[in-house]
Amino acid sequence: MMDTSYRQFFALTKEPFGADIPRKDIMVTKALGAMEERIHYTIRMGAIALITGEIGSGKSTSLRYVLGGLHPSEYRIIYVTASSGSILELYRQILSELATDFTSSSRTAMTRKIKEEVLDLTHGKKMKVALIIDEASLLRLEVFTELHTLTQFEQDSKPYLPIILAGQINLVDSLRYRNCLPLANRVVARSHLKGSDLETMEAYLRHHLAIAGVNRMIFDDAAVTAIHQGAGGLFRKANHLARGAIVAAARAESTVVTAENVRLAATELL
Ligand SMILES: Nc1ncnc2c1ncn2[C@@H]1O[C@H](COP(=O)(O)OP(=O)(O)OP(=O)(O)O)[C@@H](O)[C@H]1O
Ligand SMILES: [Mg+2]
């Protein structure tokens, strides 16, 4: 398993189906295009967007694509990955993104500092600021009930801090709790990443092969179907199945990857 002879066998110039592909190699699906539009809209509105999807459906990759398209001279993106910690933990993360030298651990001092920084960026530096929280489905309820206070500025009621929350679908349930209404009320756009359809999955497989320098479709039709079904249309699982199937095919010295190779690969996955 550890040897990489399958790469020579299929003339792959790099490890195929990688997790950390550069932005330029991200495949722009219809769903990604729709998400991009909603994120732009939400930032313009200074409101809140929800990005949901199953595990490994491509939420973080899609976010990376959209945010990477926002020019850093115009946009200041505060990107944090949520933890199951307290609201203080989240404030700390935001502050360390904004101002490295802030040490107070008082809730009031922290929110004041965050707002100051946001106001300075929007008014002083004329930038558009947005807070992105990935893995937001991990956040505690108490965090959701307080988060909206960050979007309120005493000076005037115009909200300056749009927030993009990304996570699993239970994020939506959390926001339906009564105490989360102030936050839920500011949601203006939602994007849900479903498992892809068969056609998109085939394009996806071709896309990743091309990234690894292979322009020949090495998966036969039944293999594509097996990957699509086995992965439930989800990209990360598809990566594992596709790579595992390539390894199995190379071991069997077959230049075409078959459904049987996919089935064999599936037995190695949880
Ligand atoms: N648009 C895309 N183009 C190319 N590859 C993609 C794309 N979307 C997802 N992938 C692939 O699928 C993998 C999983 O995607 P990602 O990590 O974004 O999913 P996720 O929904 O954030 O998962 P989790 O729920 O675990 O956070 C990525 O590492 C990447 O290889
Ligand atoms: Mg993710």
Side-chain angles (χ1 to χ4, degrees):
M1 242 341 208
M2 289 300 121
D3 89 285
T4 55
S5 54
Y6 61 93
R7 293 202 342 219
Q8 283 92 297
F9 187 81
F10 284 106
L12 294 152
T13 55
K14 59 173 103 164
E15 191 61 42
F17 301 98
D20 49 359
I21 48 174
R23 179 176 184 270
K24 67 168 175 45
D25 287 342
I26 294 173
M27 183 169 95
V28 185
T29 59
K30 256 192 214 147
L32 176 45
M35 180 192 295
E36 180 167 42
E37 217 172 273
R38 283 172 173 78
I39 290 179
H40 288 174
Y41 171 71
T42 302
I43 294 178
R44 268 202 314 280
M45 300 296 291
I48 295 177
L50 304 184
I51 310 293
T52 53
E54 283 180 67
I55 297 176
S57 58
K59 300 178 294 293
S60 303
T61 305
S62 304
L63 274 178
R64 187 153 60 84
Y65 174 82
V66 174
L67 301 174
L70 302 174
H71 203 280
S73 64
E74 198 180 338
Y75 292 88
R76 179 68 165 83
I77 301 300
I78 309 164
Y79 189 102
V80 299
T81 303
S83 68
S84 54
S86 66
I87 185 90
L88 294 184
E89 177 54 32
L90 181 66
Y91 289 160
R92 227 170 267 130
Q93 284 179 285
I94 295 172
L95 277 167
S96 79
E97 280 287 305
L98 280 172
T100 42
D101 56 344
F102 191 78
T103 50
S104 167
S105 56
S106 126
R107 178 181 301 220
T108 339
M110 287 202 275
T111 51
R112 196 192 307 121
K113 179 68 177 170
I114 292 171
K115 288 184 188 185
E116 268 171 30
E117 290 290 327
V118 171
L119 276 173
D120 177 55
L121 285 164
T122 39
H123 288 336
K125 306 206 167 67
K126 304 285 177 223
M127 296 186 82
K128 300 182 184 85
V129 188
L131 170 62
I132 320 299
I133 307 181
D134 197 3
E135 312 272 2
S137 39
L138 287 178
L139 293 171
R140 292 187 204 168
L141 223 47
E142 62 167 74
V143 175
F144 289 120
T145 63
E146 191 172 317
L147 195 55
H148 73 278
T149 59
L150 275 190
T151 67
Q152 294 168 333
F153 290 82
E154 292 84 359
Q155 290 85 341
D156 71 61
S157 63
K158 191 176 182 303
Y160 294 107
L161 188 59
I163 304 178
I164 314 295
L165 299 170
Q168 288 167 54
I169 189 72
N170 65 320
L171 179 58
V172 175
D173 301 325
S174 304
L175 284 170
R176 288 213 170 102
Y177 279 95
R178 182 163 185 76
N179 293 339
C180 302
L181 270 181
L183 191 66
N185 223 257
R186 290 170 166 76
V187 174
V188 297
R190 280 168 62 174
S191 235
H192 181 72
L193 286 181
K194 289 188 299 218
S196 69
D197 58 22
L198 181 62
E199 207 187 340
T200 308
M201 184 57 81
E202 184 180 344
Y204 179 82
L205 296 173
R206 287 180 188 275
H207 180 89
H208 270 273
L209 286 175
I211 292 173
V214 174
N215 292 308
R216 171 173 81 88
M217 183 51 163
I218 63 177
F219 299 96
D220 69 16
D221 287 349
V224 173
T225 303
I227 291 171
H228 178 247
Q229 285 179 357
L234 300 171
F235 289 152
R236 185 181 300 117
K237 184 115 193 244
N239 286 349
H240 296 328
L241 283 174
R243 198 188 306 110
I246 286 175
V247 171
R251 214 185 268 134
E253 294 184 23
S254 162
T255 54
V256 172
V257 184
T258 65
E260 189 46 41
N261 299 141
V262 177
R263 273 188 283 277
L264 207 60
T267 62
E268 309 252 354
L269 307 182
L270 283 176

